Amino acid sequence: MEFRKSIATAFLFLLMTAGAQAQAVRYDASPAGDVSAPPPSVLTLRIDPAGPWAIVRKTDGGAFQTSGTMYLYQDGAMLTSVGQSAGVYSITIPFSWNFTSGRHGFYVRSSNNAYNSATVTVTAKQAYKVGIVLFRHQRTIWDVRQDLDMINAKIAAYRPHRVSGTREADLVVELEVPWNETETAPGVYDFTFYQDFARACEEKGIKWTPLLSPHYVPPHIAQRYSGDRITDMQWQVVDHPFLKFSPSSAVWGSETAAWARAFIRAMAYDGGRNHFGRYAAIEEVLIGNEMMYPTGTLTSRDSASTTVWSRQYPGAVYPTTLTTTFRTFRAEQLSYAINAMMVAVKGELSSAGAQATGVSSKLYPYYFPRTGDSLNDRFAGYTDPSLSFLNSNFKGLFAMDMYPKPQNAGCGPWYYTNDYAAAQQRTTKPLYVAEFNAPKESCSYYVLSRSEVSNVAISGFQSYNVRAFVFYAYNPNGTGVIYQANDNQLGGLADALNWIVP
C-alpha cells in the first residue's frame, strides 16, 4: 500500500512540475500520434505533451507478453523508466520536461526488446501573452464580441496567435467573473455568458484569463455571513473594496470555494466543449483580486478572527496593536483564505483532466515586505512566510497587479522595476502582470504613453521572467468605455506583441 502511495505521489509531482512549466513553455510533438519503427522492432510511441507522458504499445495491438522495464530516452540519454507488466496493452511513462526550448528527440526501448521505437520530435517554445482588461458593463455577448474584434484589430492586427522560431505569442483578455452575478441563489449558478464568451474567444483565436472575483458578494451570502465582516480594533465594520469578509471566516472554504468549483465545471463541460487547454480559451485562472487587509486602518477584530485566535493562542489576550505575533497571525489567515479557493479550483481542474491549467491569485507587490516600508504597508497582511506559502501553492504562474508611479510624473521614486524585482525575489515561476497602470488617485491622472506601455512590457519580458502583460488604463471618459485605454496605449501593446513575434 505504501509503495502504491509513493508511486501516486511521484506521479502527481511530475504532473505538478509539468503544469508549473506549461505556462512559460509550450510543447509540440511530431508526429502527434502513434509512430512505429521498421521491423523487427515491435514498439510504437506517442508523446503526449499535455501530460507529459509517453504512451507505448505493440505494433500488432496485442498485449505485452513478458514483464520487464520500459526505458524512455531523450536525445539519446535515458530519461526515465517504468515497470512493464505482462498482459497490458499499453504502457504510460510520465516524465518531466528538462529543457526549455529547441527540438528534442524521444524514443523508447524495452528490456525485453533489443530494438528502439521510432523517434518522436518535441519542439519547445517560450510562451508569452499580451493583452488588456475587458469590461462587460452588463452588455450582451454580441456587444462584447465586437469588443474582441476591436482589440484583435488594434493590438494584434488580426494575428492573435503567433509563432516564430522558439517563441509563441498570444493576444489575451482578462475578464472578471463576479460572484454576485453568477450565483443567484444558494447553490444556483449561471455561467452562460462566460461559456459564450469562451466560445467567442476560441472562435477568434484569443486567450481568456478569467478573474474569479469573490468581493462581489451575493445578497444571500452577505446576509448569512454578516457577522464575519472585517472590523477595526473598535469592532466597527471596515468596508474594503476587495476583502469583504474576515479571512478567518468559513465563507472561503465553503461558499466561495463551491462557487469557484462550479465555474470550473461550467467551463470544462460546456455542451461537450472543454474551454481549458492550449487549444482552448483558458490556460490560467486567477482567484481573488488584490485580496489584502485595508491599509488605512488596523484590522481585524471580527468574531471569526477572534475565535481562531483563541483556538490558536489559548488564554492570550487578543491584540489591538500590530505585534509581531498578531502580524503573523493575520498574514497566515489571509493566505489560508486565498489558498482555500485555490485548492478547490486545482482539485476541480484535476477532476476535469485540465491539470496543466495555471492557478494563481493577484497579489500587490507594492505592499510586499521591503526595506523602509511603513506601518500602513504592514497592515496589508503580506509577510515573507505567507508569500512563500502562497507561491508554493500557485500553479504555473505568479500573478500580480502593478500601479507604479511613472518617473516623469512628479509622483515620487516608485517605479515599475521595483514591483518586478519584489515579485521575482519571491518566486521562480513566470510572472503574470494581470493589471498594469499608472495610479488613478495621484499623478494628476497621468496617462501612460505608447512607449511607456511597450517599454514596461518588454523590459519585463527581457529581464524579469514576465510571460504575460495585461494592461488596465485610467480613462477620464468614465466607466462606460469597453476597455479603458486610448489608441496610443493600445499601440504600445501592439509594439510589445510585435517584439515577441513580429
Side-chain angles (χ1 to χ4, degrees):
M1 182 68 178
E2 289 300 318
F3 177 70
R4 290 182 180 177
K5 183 178 179 181
S6 65
I7 290 178
T9 301
F11 181 69
L12 286 174
F13 171 77
L14 290 168
L15 286 179
M16 289 170 62
T17 303
Q21 293 181 346
Q23 304 307 306
V25 181
R26 291 176 174 165
Y27 304 91
D28 286 316
S30 180
D34 294 345
V35 295
S36 303
S41 175
V42 296
L43 299 178
T44 71
L45 172 67
R46 174 185 296 182
I47 297 292
D48 181 358
W53 43 61
I55 302 171
V56 189
R57 298 183 176 89
K58 291 177 61 182
T59 53
D60 63 3
F64 289 91
Q65 301 302 310
T66 59
S67 300
T69 304
M70 189 68 68
Y71 299 95
L72 175 65
Y73 291 81
Q74 175 187 298
D75 297 334
M78 204 273 285
L79 179 62
T80 188
S81 63
V82 298
Q84 170 189 322
S85 301
V88 300
Y89 287 83
S90 66
I91 298 168
T92 299
I93 309 176
F95 63 96
S96 174
W97 305 111
N98 63 348
F99 56 90
T100 57
S101 63
R103 293 167 58 86
H104 302 266
F106 292 83
Y107 64 87
V108 292
R109 175 179 290 188
S110 168
S111 62
N112 297 321
N113 176 2
Y115 302 99
N116 301 335
S117 70
T119 298
V120 176
T121 299
V122 173
T123 303
K125 299 182 178 69
Q126 301 296 317
Y128 299 85
K129 291 184 174 77
V130 174
I132 196 163
V133 175
L134 181 65
F135 299 89
R136 180 187 175 186
H137 293 317
Q138 302 302 314
R139 292 171 307 127
T140 69
I141 188 62
W142 302 107
D143 295 326
V144 176
R145 286 173 63 91
Q146 296 179 41
D147 302 347
L148 292 174
D149 288 336
M150 285 186 278
I151 292 168
N152 198 355
K154 292 186 176 183
I155 298 177
Y158 294 109
R159 295 171 53 227
H161 176 68
R162 305 179 182 191
V163 181
S164 178
T166 58
R167 285 183 175 180
E168 286 194 14
D170 280 289
L171 174 64
V172 64
V173 292
E174 182 182 319
L175 180 70
E176 277 191 316
V177 182
W179 189 10
N180 63 337
E181 294 179 9
T182 49
E183 184 176 348
T184 55
V188 179
Y189 307 106
D190 182 3
F191 297 102
T192 304
F193 172 86
Y194 300 95
Q195 291 172 323
D196 292 341
F197 183 78
R199 289 173 178 254
C201 287
E202 288 159 0
E203 174 191 323
K204 300 174 187 299
I206 298 172
K207 293 295 183 180
W208 170 34
T209 300
L211 171 60
L212 302 186
S213 296
H215 60 282
Y216 299 108
V217 183
H220 65 274
I221 298 292
Q223 181 176 3
R224 180 178 178 184
Y225 290 88
S226 60
D228 288 354
R229 294 293 302 274
I230 288 181
T231 70
D232 60 20
M233 293 298 103
Q234 288 73 46
W235 300 95
Q236 299 301 306
V237 170
V238 178
D239 189 22
H240 187 263
F242 299 126
L243 188 63
K244 298 298 186 182
F245 298 110
S246 166
S248 303
S249 172
V251 70
W252 306 108
S254 54
E255 274 79 3
T256 305
W259 165 69
R261 285 194 296 267
F263 172 80
I264 301 301
R265 290 193 296 272
M267 293 300 115
Y269 307 105
D270 177 16
R273 295 181 65 165
N274 183 351
H275 296 299
F276 296 103
R278 178 175 178 182
Y279 302 107
I282 306 171
E283 291 188 304
E284 58 277 314
V285 178
L286 306 183
I287 309 165
N289 186 2
E290 293 183 19
M291 282 184 62
M292 58 188 180
Y293 292 100
T295 56
T297 183
L298 179 60
T299 60
S300 176
R301 206 177 182 183
D302 55 84
S303 59
S305 293
T306 54
T307 298
V308 175
W309 171 275
S310 298
R311 186 166 61 244
Q312 191 164 327
Y313 302 101
V317 176
Y318 195 80
T320 56
T321 60
L322 194 67
T323 64
T324 300
T325 301
F326 189 42
R327 185 184 183 194
T328 300
F329 171 77
R330 293 169 76 248
E332 288 175 347
Q333 294 300 296
L334 179 63
S335 60
Y336 296 162
I338 295 171
N339 192 54
M341 294 183 290
M342 292 198 298
V343 167
V345 166
K346 288 189 290 187
E348 203 65 48
L349 286 169
S350 180
S351 298
Q355 296 94 333
T357 304
V359 179
S360 185
S361 183
K362 288 204 304 179
L363 304 183
Y364 194 25
Y366 182 86
Y367 288 118
F368 288 1
R370 63 188 188 278
T371 302
D373 57 354
S374 69
L375 184 62
N376 281 8
D377 294 342
R378 297 170 194 173
F379 286 171
Y382 295 133
T383 61
D384 288 328
S386 69
L387 289 171
S388 178
F389 171 79
L390 286 173
N391 177 58
S392 69
N393 286 282
F394 291 159
K395 185 177 181 181
L397 68 156
F398 187 104
M400 53 190 283
D401 279 2
M402 295 172 58
Y403 284 81
K405 298 173 180 178
Q407 285 179 321
N408 60 346
C411 297
W414 193 260
Y415 198 46
Y416 67 87
T417 51
N418 300 65
D419 283 350
Y420 281 158
Q424 198 175 40
Q425 288 170 11
R426 292 166 171 86
T427 186
T428 59
K429 294 179 173 69
L431 299 184
Y432 193 110
V433 179
E435 188 173 312
F436 176 82
N437 188 18
K440 292 181 286 186
E441 295 82 10
S442 59
C443 302
S444 300
Y445 299 105
Y446 183 83
V447 178
L448 290 166
S449 68
R450 177 171 186 157
S451 61
E452 285 174 319
V453 172
S454 61
N455 288 343
V456 172
I458 292 170
S459 66
F461 298 146
Q462 286 180 312
S463 305
Y464 294 97
N465 198 27
V466 173
R467 293 306 176 89
F469 185 86
V470 178
F471 187 70
Y472 175 101
Y474 172 73
N475 188 320
N477 293 329
T479 59
V481 293
I482 54 173
Y483 44 78
Q484 296 187 349
N486 60 37
D487 284 345
N488 280 334
Q489 293 162 344
L490 295 174
L493 294 172
D495 294 341
L497 189 63
N498 289 333
W499 180 87
I500 301 167
V501 179

